[in-house]
Amino acid sequence: MVYAIVFFLGKQLKLIENKYVYVPHLHEDLGKNIFLNKVFLFYKNGYSQIGTPFLKNINVQVEILQHLKGNKIIIFKKKRRKGYKIKNGFRPLFTKIKVISFLQKE
């Protein structure tokens, strides 16, 4: 098993090779390959590398597969005994990415 923990768009993600992950919306074209270079941890065959704070010799190549909307999130505000009620909602945007490979520089 090969995986990496990466810092991406303000979140820490565990990326496994040939698996799909939903991340916050990216303004990139479908099918485009991008490289993530902020890797905290890299694990391969029982051997792990930990960065301080990032590993300089590891990049993760991901492909953008799809842009989609998530489930509706409801925001309900109320102040008791005042007659104040407001109900709003929105559907967050996500991007589905697939991990292609982990590139190690020597």
Side-chain angles (χ1 to χ4, degrees):
M1 179 176 189
V2 180
Y3 68 88
I5 297 179
V6 223
F7 185 74
F8 184 59
L9 295 176
K11 299 184 182 300
Q12 294 179 13
L13 304 171
K14 180 179 179 181
L15 300 178
I16 302 171
E17 198 166 20
N18 295 324
K19 297 287 183 176
Y20 305 104
V21 178
Y22 294 95
V23 296
H25 185 70
L26 297 173
H27 298 286
E28 301 287 342
D29 296 329
L30 295 178
K32 185 174 181 183
N33 289 342
I34 56 175
F35 294 93
L36 310 177
N37 58 0
K38 293 187 176 182
V39 178
F40 288 123
L41 179 135
F42 180 69
Y43 178 86
K44 182 176 183 179
N45 299 331
Y47 176 71
S48 62
Q49 299 176 19
I50 300 174
T52 55
F54 302 116
L55 291 169
K56 305 224 183 285
N57 61 342
I58 307 269
N59 284 339
V60 181
Q61 181 182 5
V62 297
E63 179 183 3
I64 297 175
L65 296 178
Q66 186 180 10
H67 298 297
L68 51 120
K69 286 186 176 182
N71 294 331
K72 182 173 255 192
I73 297 174
I74 303 295
I75 294 104
F76 183 72
K77 298 180 182 179
K78 178 181 178 180
K79 296 190 179 184
R80 62 185 192 158
R81 298 189 297 268
K82 306 295 183 209
Y84 173 81
K85 290 190 285 188
I86 292 189
K87 181 180 177 182
N88 285 320
F90 71 98
R91 292 181 67 188
L93 298 173
F94 293 106
T95 299
K96 182 179 181 180
I97 62 173
K98 180 181 180 182
V99 179
I100 302 295
S101 64
F102 298 100
L103 305 171
Q104 292 181 316
K105 300 176 199 170
E106 296 300 325

